[in-house]
Amino acid sequence: MEQQIQLNDHNKQEYPPMHTCEHIINRTMMNLFGCGRSVSAHIERKKSKLDYALESAPTEDDVRRLEEAVNIVIAQGLDVTTEFITQEEAQGRFDLKRLPDDASETVRVVKVGNYDECLCLGTHVKNTSEIGTFKVISHDWNEEAKRWRMRFKLVAP
Ligand SMILES: [Zn+2]
């Protein structure tokens, strides 16, 4: 069954612990700040950066709250699972505007426990216990663009 599913190639192979952590960070940012998922992402093995469109700059306390919330999710040892659905089934459940124009009819849902689900073709860890500890290295605010850039690393589990 599964070999008949045609999926678009993911254009990059991201380091699975970092990339899976990105899913958790996105959901946590949505929960804490009511924003959308990152507007730009640069994921690498040693350090990564994510940009968010926000109304105002998060405070140092906000950053600590983000770290704590993400690490609590990681510590729960949640399974990361995938599910294949059609674009039609994905309507209303996911933001399909983020799909490339040539996306295949079948899309892949990636779930981190019951904490987050999104459409993704990247490479993930099997369980959040493989991620390590999330640590924000630095962050800055661009008032003109209303963009918050955050750099982070993972401390090995
Ligand atoms: Zn992913």
Side-chain angles (χ1 to χ4, degrees), residues 19 23 110 120 122 124:
H19 174 65
H23 284 231
V110 175
C120 186
H124 308 88

Side-chain angles (χ1 to χ4, degrees), residues 26-41:
N26 277 332
R27 178 61 59 178
T28 307
M29 287 295 294
M30 293 162 80
N31 291 349
L32 293 181
F33 302 105
C35 61
R37 302 181 86 88
S38 65
V39 291
S40 158

Side-chain angles (χ1 to χ4, degrees), residues 10 14 19-20 22-23 108 110 118-124:
H10 194 60
E14 289 153 331
H19 174 65
T20 310
E22 177 189 354
H23 284 231
R108 190 175 75 163
V110 175
C118 71
L119 301 180
C120 186
L121 290 175
T123 312
H124 308 88

Side-chain angles (χ1 to χ4, degrees), residues 36-85:
R37 302 181 86 88
S38 65
V39 291
S40 158
H42 190 81
I43 301 297
E44 284 186 16
R45 183 174 289 262
K46 288 202 164 163
K47 73 177 187 184
S48 299
K49 66 183 177 197
L50 293 169
D51 288 358
Y52 292 90
L54 298 176
E55 295 292 312
S56 58
T59 63
E60 288 303 322
D61 278 353
D62 287 332
V63 175
R64 297 289 88 80
R65 277 165 62 219
L66 172 68
E67 279 184 341
E68 272 176 34
V70 168
N71 284 320
I72 285 169
V73 174
I74 291 172
Q76 286 169 2
L78 302 173
D79 284 331
V80 180
T81 58
T82 56
E83 176 196 342
F84 293 91
I85 61 173

